[in-house]
Amino acid sequence: AREMGSEAEMTAPLLAGVSPAVEAVPPWREQLTVRAIVVSAILGVLFCLVTHKLNLTVGIVPSLNVAAGLLGYCLLRTWTAALGMFGVVSKPFTKQENTVIQTCVVACYGLAISGGFGSYMLAMDQKTYELIGTDYPGNRAVDVKNPSLSWMIGFMFLVSFLGIFILVALRKVMVIDCKLTYPSGTATAMLMNSVHTTTEVELVEKQVSCLGKYLSISFIWNCFKWFFSGVGDSCGFDNFPSLGLAAFKNTFYFDFSPTYIGCGLICPHIVNCSALVGAIISWGFLWPYISTKVGEWYPAELGSNDFKGLYGYKVFVCISLILGDGIYKLIKIVYATIKETMNAQSNKGRLPLVWVQDGDNISKLPAKEKLLNEVFVKDNIPPWLAGSAYVGLAAISAAIVPMMFPQLKWYLVLSAYVIAPLLAFCNSYGTGLTNWNLASTYGKIGLFIFASWVGHHGGVIAGLAACGVMMSIVSTAGDLMQDFKTGYLTLSSPRSMFVSQLIGTALGCVIAPLTFWLYWIAFDIGNPNGMFKAPYASIYREMSIMGVEGFSVLPQHCLAICFVFFFAAIAINFLRDVTPKSMSKFIPLPMAMAIPFYIGAYFAIDMFVGTIILFVWERANHKESEDFAGAVASGLICGDGIWSVPSAILSIMRIDPPMCMYIKPSLTYG
C-alpha cells in the first residue's frame, strides 16, 4: 500500500492546472457526451478482456485507472483528429469529459473483478466440484450451478447498482472533510490535469506514441508465440525452461508474458519482490519438503490435483495467508476509521466544508481549494434519492436472488443488505487511507458467516452467492469514492461522475459476462495444469465447504501449518507498521506472498523482471521512467488483452497452432 502523503504533497502538483481566474467549468450535462460513452464501451470491452485474463490465470489485477484515463485520452483525440481530416468540427475535448470516460471504464471493468468470474461464481460450477473431488467431505453434487449468460447478467444487474447509492450522501465527508487521499483516484487526476494543459503537449504526444508502440509490440509478440504453442498446455514459450529443467519442475521459469512484465512495471517494487519471496518459500522449500512426506502425511496414490494430498496444502496455506493479511488490515482500518472520525469531531471547526459554508471564514481557504470545493458541492445528488434507490433495489434483489439461488433465502439477502452500508463505509474509508480495496476480504467473511448459517443443506452455494452480494456492494462503493476524488481534483461535477458510474455499471453488467463467456467457450477454464487455472475458484469453494464442515476437511498437519502462516501474516503486517519506514519498505507483503503458494513461481519471476527493468530505468533516467513507465506497462498489458480476442476466435474455430516447441532432457545412451 502507498503511504498517505501530506496535504501539501497531495494538492500542490494536482492543482497546477487549475486556475480559478481563467478556467471555465462546463455544466455537468456537457461533461457527459455520446462520444465519451462510445469510447467508454470500447475500452470497457478491452479492459474486461484484460481483467478476465489476469483473474483466470494468476488472480492478481493491478489498478488500471490511470491506463483507462490515458487510453480514453488517446481514443478521443484520435476520434476528433479523424473527424477534422474530413472537415468536421468537434467540440473541445475537456479533462472533465476525459474523467467521465475513465469513471465509466473503471465501473465497467470493475464488475469483471467483483463479479466473481474467476472466484465465487466459477466456484459453483461442475468442473470445480469435480476438481475438488466427488468424495471430498462436504463437496456435494447438489451444490453446483454452472455458468450461463442469462443468470449471470441478471445477477449482475440485481446486485451491482446498490453500491453506487450507498455512500453518495457521505462524499463531502470523505473527500472534503476528512481529506482522504484515495491514491489511485489522485494519480488519475494528476494524469488528467497534466494531459489537458497546454504546457505539456509534447510530453503527452510522446506518451501516446510510446503506448501505441508497446501495444503493437505486445500484440505481435503474442501472435508470434501462438505459432509455437501447439495443442495442449505443454508447448511454446509459455512453457520454456529458461532457468533449467529442474527449476521448471518447481515452476521457476520465465514465460515471456508481456502482461506480467507490465504488471511488474505498474506495481510497487515491494509487491513484485514479495511475490518472488513467496514463490521461493513455497516452491523452493515448503512444497518440496512436504513432497518428501508422501505416504506418511498423505496417500501416495493421489492425483496431483487431489485436495487430500499436496494440492490441499497449497490451497489452504494460501487461504491462511490471505485471511491473516485481510483480517489484520480490516482491524487496522476499522481502528483508523474510528480514530479519524473522533479527531474530525473534536476538530470540527477546522474542516474545509465548514469554511466553504461559513462566509466569515471562507477567505481562510486557498483560492484553488475554494474553487474545488464549490464545484464539488454545487451539483448535489439528493440523499433521499440515493436512500430510496438503495431500499428499492434491496427489496427487488431480496425477492429475485432467492429465485436464482434457492439456498439463499430472502431474509439472508436482506441481512446482507442491512450490514452492507457499514462494511462499505469501512472499506471506502480504508481505501482512501491506504489504497487497499478489501472488498474480497469482506466477501470472504460473509462467505464463512452465511455458509455456516445455512449449514449442510445448501450452505456451500448460499455462502458463495452471499459472498457475491457483499463483494459487489463493497467494491462498487469504494470505486465510486475513488472516482469522486478524481472528479474533485479535475473540477468535474459529482453528478456527471455519478451518472457515468451508473452508465458504466450498466455496460459492465452486459460486457463483463459476455467477455467472460468468450473465454469460457474458447478455452479450458479451471484446468489446474492449463493456462487458465482460475486459481480462486477452488479456493472459494474450499472456503465455503470449510464454513459448513469446519476443519475436519484439512489434510494431516495442514491445520498446524495454516495456523503458522496465518499468524505469520499478522506478525509481518504488525512488523511493517511498528518499524521505521526506512526498514519497513523492505518487509514483504503477505497478500502478495500468498498468490505464488498456489499458482506457482513463474508469474512472480515475470513481475520481478518488470521491477528490475523499472529499477534500472529509474536509476538511469528517473524523469523518463516517471513519464513513460505507465505508458509502456499499459501498452504491454493492453496488447496482450487485445490478442486474447483473435486467440479465442481461433480456438472456437478449432484452428490449432502449426508447431509445438517442447524442451526435454538430452537422452543418454549406455
Side-chain angles (χ1 to χ4, degrees):
R2 301 178 192 172
E3 296 293 328
M4 184 172 64
S6 68
E7 186 178 321
E9 292 171 337
M10 178 178 67
T11 56
L14 297 174
L15 304 185
V18 179
S19 177
V22 299
E23 182 165 353
V25 180
W28 73 271
R29 286 187 176 86
E30 293 183 11
Q31 298 174 24
L32 286 162
T33 62
V34 173
R35 66 185 184 183
I37 304 304
V38 172
V39 169
S40 299
I42 295 170
L43 290 179
V45 172
L46 171 60
F47 278 75
C48 280
L49 288 168
V50 170
T51 301
H52 285 316
K53 179 170 184 179
L54 291 169
N55 256 333
L56 295 171
T57 51
V58 298
I60 293 179
V61 182
S63 175
L64 301 173
N65 292 28
V66 173
L70 184 59
L71 281 171
Y73 175 84
C74 295
L75 279 185
L76 240 174
R77 283 295 299 271
T78 304
W79 178 318
T80 54
L83 290 177
M85 292 173 61
F86 294 98
V88 180
V89 180
S90 303
K91 291 200 304 185
F93 178 34
T94 64
K95 64 183 178 183
Q96 287 84 6
E97 189 177 5
N98 203 162
T99 306
V100 164
I101 294 172
Q102 183 269 338
T103 300
C104 201
V105 173
V106 170
C108 181
Y109 91 79
L111 293 188
I113 303 173
S114 63
F117 298 100
S119 56
Y120 65 83
M121 197 176 283
L122 207 56
M124 304 178 188
D125 83 324
Q126 182 74 22
K127 186 177 292 184
T128 307
Y129 158 73
E130 293 174 353
L131 175 64
I132 290 176
T134 56
D135 59 343
Y136 192 78
N139 190 35
R140 305 188 310 160
V142 293
D143 292 323
V144 169
K145 188 174 182 67
N146 287 310
S148 75
L149 278 177
S150 56
W151 77 259
M152 288 192 301
I153 293 175
F155 185 71
M156 288 290 96
F157 272 104
L158 283 172
V159 303
S160 299
F161 287 91
L162 286 98
I164 300 176
F165 296 99
I166 209 166
L167 294 180
V168 165
L170 297 178
R171 63 185 173 86
K172 289 186 289 186
V173 175
M174 301 287 222
V175 175
I176 297 180
D177 289 11
C178 298
K179 291 182 178 289
L180 295 177
T181 312
Y182 290 101
S184 289
T186 299
T188 307
M190 180 182 289
L191 171 74
M192 303 298 180
N193 286 333
S194 65
V195 300
H196 288 276
T197 59
T198 56
T199 57
E200 298 187 18
V201 174
E202 185 179 352
L203 173 61
V204 173
E205 296 299 331
K206 289 180 179 178
Q207 288 175 330
V208 171
S209 175
C210 179
L211 187 148
K213 180 173 73 173
Y214 281 92
L215 186 149
S216 302
I217 290 172
S218 177
F219 182 87
I220 293 170
W221 170 247
N222 277 281
C223 179
F224 174 77
K225 284 202 305 179
W226 178 83
F227 285 94
F228 300 90
S229 57
V231 179
D233 301 302
S234 59
C235 303
F237 287 94
D238 292 338
N239 295 279
F240 189 85
S242 48
L243 301 178
L245 289 169
F248 180 79
K249 290 179 180 178
N250 282 322
T251 72
F252 282 94
Y253 60 94
F254 176 63
D255 75 344
F256 302 91
S257 169
T259 292
Y260 304 144
I261 296 173
C263 290
L265 288 168
I266 288 179
C267 292
H269 292 307
I270 188 61
V271 172
N272 303 318
C273 294
S274 298
L276 185 62
V277 169
I280 293 171
I281 292 172
S282 56
W283 293 91
F285 297 100
L286 185 60
W287 304 148
Y289 172 75
I290 294 179
S291 297
T292 63
K293 301 297 182 181
V294 61
E296 183 180 347
W297 288 11
Y298 59 92
E301 67 275 5
L302 298 177
S304 60
N305 301 314
D306 195 313
F307 275 82
K308 300 184 188 69
L310 180 61
Y311 192 71
Y313 291 93
K314 295 176 184 178
V315 172
F316 287 112
V317 172
C318 178
I319 291 173
S320 63
L321 271 172
I322 292 171
L323 288 178
D325 183 86
I327 289 173
Y328 179 88
K329 284 189 170 65
L330 178 60
I331 294 172
K332 177 183 172 182
I333 286 171
V334 170
Y335 170 76
T337 302
I338 295 171
K339 183 179 178 181
E340 291 293 331
T341 303
M342 293 175 66
N343 290 342
Q345 289 294 326
S346 62
N347 299 318
K348 204 168 187 179
R350 295 192 289 107
L351 291 180
L353 182 58
V354 176
W355 293 341
V356 172
Q357 294 176 334
D358 187 349
D360 296 333
N361 295 323
I362 196 169
S363 60
K364 294 182 180 180
L365 283 174
K368 294 176 181 179
E369 191 172 351
K370 274 199 317 187
L371 177 62
L372 291 173
N373 291 344
E374 288 168 3
V375 171
F376 195 67
V377 300
K378 180 182 176 183
D379 294 324
N380 190 33
I381 302 162
W384 65 265
L385 175 64
S388 302
Y390 183 80
V391 172
L393 289 171
I396 294 171
S397 182
I400 300 179
V401 167
M403 298 180 186
M404 297 180 174
F405 304 99
Q407 301 91 336
L408 192 65
K409 305 300 181 185
W410 66 269
Y411 55 86
L412 298 176
V413 180
L414 210 55
S415 300
Y417 289 139
V418 169
I419 62 174
L422 174 62
L423 300 181
F425 173 78
C426 293
N427 184 59
S428 187
Y429 199 105
T431 304
L433 288 173
T434 66
N435 209 36
W436 281 99
N437 190 328
L438 297 180
S440 62
T441 300
Y442 291 101
K444 293 183 188 85
I445 293 171
L447 185 154
F448 280 118
I449 292 172
F450 285 96
S452 59
W453 188 350
V454 175
H456 290 84
H457 301 290
V460 173
I461 292 293
L464 293 169
C467 172
V469 172
M470 301 292 289
M471 271 183 65
S472 295
I473 294 174
V474 174
S475 178
T476 304
D479 290 342
L480 178 62
M481 210 55 66
Q482 288 270 24
D483 293 334
F484 275 144
K485 182 68 176 186
T486 303
Y488 171 76
L489 293 170
T490 57
L491 292 174
S492 301
S493 166
R495 193 171 293 178
S496 68
M497 297 290 93
F498 180 73
V499 175
S500 63
Q501 181 92 2
L502 289 172
I503 294 171
T505 301
L507 290 172
C509 288
V510 177
I511 292 174
L514 285 175
T515 47
F516 167 77
W517 200 251
L518 180 66
Y519 283 98
W520 181 255
I521 61 176
F523 303 109
D524 186 14
I525 304 298
N527 179 2
N529 299 315
M531 179 182 180
F532 296 96
K533 297 176 175 64
Y536 279 104
S538 297
I539 289 173
Y540 273 71
R541 188 172 184 91
E542 279 289 350
M543 286 192 290
S544 194
I545 292 172
M546 191 185 299
V548 174
E549 298 290 330
F551 294 120
S552 60
V553 299
L554 297 176
Q556 188 177 1
H557 300 299
C558 187
L559 181 60
I561 298 173
C562 287
F563 270 122
V564 169
F565 280 93
F566 176 84
F567 288 110
I570 294 175
I572 291 170
N573 274 305
F574 181 74
L575 196 61
R576 284 179 56 85
D577 287 338
V578 298
T579 53
K581 189 176 179 180
S582 58
M583 294 177 58
S584 65
K585 64 182 181 181
F586 296 109
I587 300 175
L589 302 170
M591 185 70 78
M593 291 172 61
I595 310 304
F597 273 71
Y598 178 64
I599 301 292
Y602 62 92
F603 88 94
I605 291 173
D606 289 357
M607 292 178 68
F608 189 68
V609 169
T611 213
I612 290 175
I613 293 171
L614 182 60
F615 181 82
V616 173
W617 195 359
E618 287 172 338
R619 295 301 178 275
N621 192 329
H622 183 77
K623 182 67 170 65
E624 185 181 77
S625 69
E626 191 176 60
D627 290 339
F628 295 102
V632 172
S634 300
L636 291 174
I637 293 172
C638 292
D640 205 349
I642 292 172
W643 167 252
S644 65
V645 176
S647 175
I649 293 172
L650 289 170
S651 178
I652 293 170
M653 296 175 65
R654 300 292 183 263
I655 300 176
D656 297 322
M659 293 173 279
C660 171
M661 184 177 71
Y662 180 73
I663 310 295
K664 62 181 181 178
S666 299
L667 296 178
T668 302
Y669 296 94

